[in-house]
Amino acid sequence: MQNKVLVFIPFVSSNDINYRLLEMSGLLDSLGLEAEFIGFKINVIRPGTYFNEERIQELQEIIETLKGKNINITSLILDVNLTGSQVSKLEEIFKIQIIDKTVLILK
């Protein structure tokens, strides 16, 4: 099974996602990480988990689908800044390491 990280990039426009994808790819390359990328628009940020229940379920389904393709997702990297509480709650939900943009840059 191949180990990868799953990277979530929120977006507003196609230009926005292209820029953010390029930036994130550079960061991951410098760390030697292989990634799968996903992106979708976030209309409302939930204080507790950043994502609403629908998005959480969608992310869980993506992780399970990738496992079915022999890709083990070891971390979920979010191209946003999270609070410590949000990170903890998301790690409880997904049972994998959660890394926000600030932590990734500091690595």
Side-chain angles (χ1 to χ4, degrees):
M1 188 171 280
Q2 184 179 13
N3 288 332
K4 288 189 176 185
V5 296
L6 180 62
V7 179
F8 163 73
I9 301 176
F11 65 90
V12 176
S13 68
S14 60
N15 288 338
D16 180 50
I17 190 102
N18 290 336
Y19 170 78
R20 294 176 89 161
L21 182 60
L22 186 62
E23 179 185 41
M24 187 60 70
S25 293
L27 286 170
L28 295 172
D29 284 346
S30 71
L31 295 170
L33 296 174
E34 291 190 43
E36 294 287 326
F37 291 88
I38 57 167
F40 42 76
K41 189 172 183 177
I42 299 292
N43 295 321
V44 177
I45 295 172
R46 304 286 183 209
T49 59
Y50 186 83
F51 299 108
N52 64 24
E53 290 297 320
E54 180 182 323
R55 292 297 188 202
I56 287 173
Q57 183 177 4
E58 188 175 351
L59 285 166
Q60 288 172 322
E61 289 171 3
I62 290 167
I63 291 169
E64 287 304 312
T65 298
L66 290 170
K67 281 184 183 176
K69 295 179 180 181
N70 282 331
I71 298 171
N72 182 42
I73 299 300
T74 59
S75 301
L76 175 59
I77 298 174
L78 291 90
D79 190 21
V80 296
N81 297 318
L82 299 173
T83 66
S85 176
Q86 288 171 322
V87 170
S88 295
K89 287 180 182 176
L90 290 171
E91 285 180 338
E92 285 177 28
I93 292 168
F94 293 111
K95 308 288 189 243
I96 57 175
Q97 182 182 28
I98 304 296
I99 301 171
D100 74 351
K101 187 172 186 171
T102 302
V103 171
L104 183 66
I105 290 170
L106 293 174
K107 285 188 171 203

